[in-house]
Amino acid sequence: LDDRSNRIVYPVYDMDGNFINVKGRTRFSGYKKMGICKYINYYPVGTVDYFQGINITEQYIHKTKELKIFESLKSTMKLFGHGIKDSASAEKHDLTPEQIAWIIRSDIKSVVLCYDSDITYKEKTVQKNINMLKRFVNLYIIQDKDNLLGGKEAKNSPIDKGFDIWSTLYSQRKKVT
């Protein structure tokens, strides 16, 4: 905990499990009005060529051959707490070329994009990722058609409102063709 800037801090590891940074998430609910970033890296980082949390979840991803991609580590941790351990965080809602290349090189058969409720899968950068990935893996998206997450304004991830809602949304995931 960084009391001075009111942030929860956590370590960042690369794909090989090497410690590479410290990241912080604000605890202020009105961070946008205050003009502060929700997340910060405490040290400069080049391209995001890793998935946050994968140093712990990779063994489970290879076991199920599925990768559930969230925007934040918090969502990966919540799902892990419910016994579903094959997820990781992209740290944002679009993937870098390095993240996509890692997926393609791996033995992963399915990818599920589990983005927050304020993200549209029609966004240009997200569409670019979708068009690339669907050529190499079974690609699925989670959509909240029934507004279970509270709408775009709530900006909730598919696990934020509890495991029952996650289970419903996951069972309704849509295959991208």
Side-chain angles (χ1 to χ4, degrees):
L1 184 62
D2 178 352
D3 287 327
R4 196 167 67 168
S5 65
N6 197 28
R7 291 186 180 277
I8 297 169
V9 296
Y10 52 91
V12 178
Y13 298 92
D14 67 12
M15 300 296 273
D16 296 321
N18 299 309
F19 173 76
I20 60 169
N21 209 333
V22 177
K23 193 163 194 140
R25 183 188 190 280
T26 186
R27 295 175 63 210
F28 291 114
S29 58
Y31 67 92
K32 283 189 178 181
K33 289 180 184 174
M34 298 169 72
I36 61 174
C37 297
K38 185 174 186 178
Y39 292 95
I40 62 166
N41 287 309
Y42 280 77
Y43 303 98
V45 173
T47 183
V48 177
D49 61 353
Y50 60 90
F51 286 98
Q52 181 68 6
I54 205 145
N55 59 306
I56 296 169
T57 62
E58 185 175 11
Q59 63 181 312
Y60 305 105
I61 293 163
H62 291 303
K63 192 178 218 181
T64 64
K65 306 286 190 239
E66 180 171 279
L67 170 59
K68 296 168 184 72
I69 301 174
F70 289 96
E71 291 181 63
S72 76
L73 182 61
K74 170 190 63 122
S75 299
T76 298
M77 293 168 65
K78 283 182 177 182
L79 198 61
F80 195 95
H82 287 285
I84 300 176
K85 301 177 178 182
D86 56 353
S87 68
S89 166
E91 297 286 283
K92 52 192 183 140
H93 64 268
D94 59 333
L95 304 176
T96 65
E98 294 85 1
Q99 290 170 325
I100 291 172
W102 182 83
I103 292 169
I104 293 169
R105 284 191 316 265
S106 75
D107 61 347
I108 295 170
K109 304 288 183 222
S110 297
V111 169
V112 183
L113 300 178
C114 310
Y115 294 158
D116 292 358
S117 60
D118 64 323
I119 299 302
T120 172
Y121 291 100
K122 294 179 181 178
E123 189 175 305
K124 188 176 180 179
T125 56
V126 175
Q127 264 303 303
K128 184 177 174 185
N129 294 162
I130 286 172
N131 289 335
M132 174 63 75
L133 282 173
K134 72 181 184 181
R135 296 172 34 212
F136 298 97
V137 296
N138 294 313
L139 183 64
Y140 299 86
I141 58 174
I142 290 188
Q143 295 176 300
D144 182 19
K145 293 180 181 180
D146 297 322
N147 210 25
L148 300 174
L149 298 174
K152 292 181 180 192
E153 304 78 36
K155 301 180 183 182
N156 286 314
S157 87
I159 188 64
D160 280 350
K161 290 291 193 170
F163 190 71
D164 289 342
I165 289 178
W166 158 260
S167 297
T168 298
L169 292 171
Y170 181 75
S171 70
Q172 297 172 352
R173 68 193 178 280
K174 178 183 171 193
K175 185 169 185 181
V176 178
T177 54

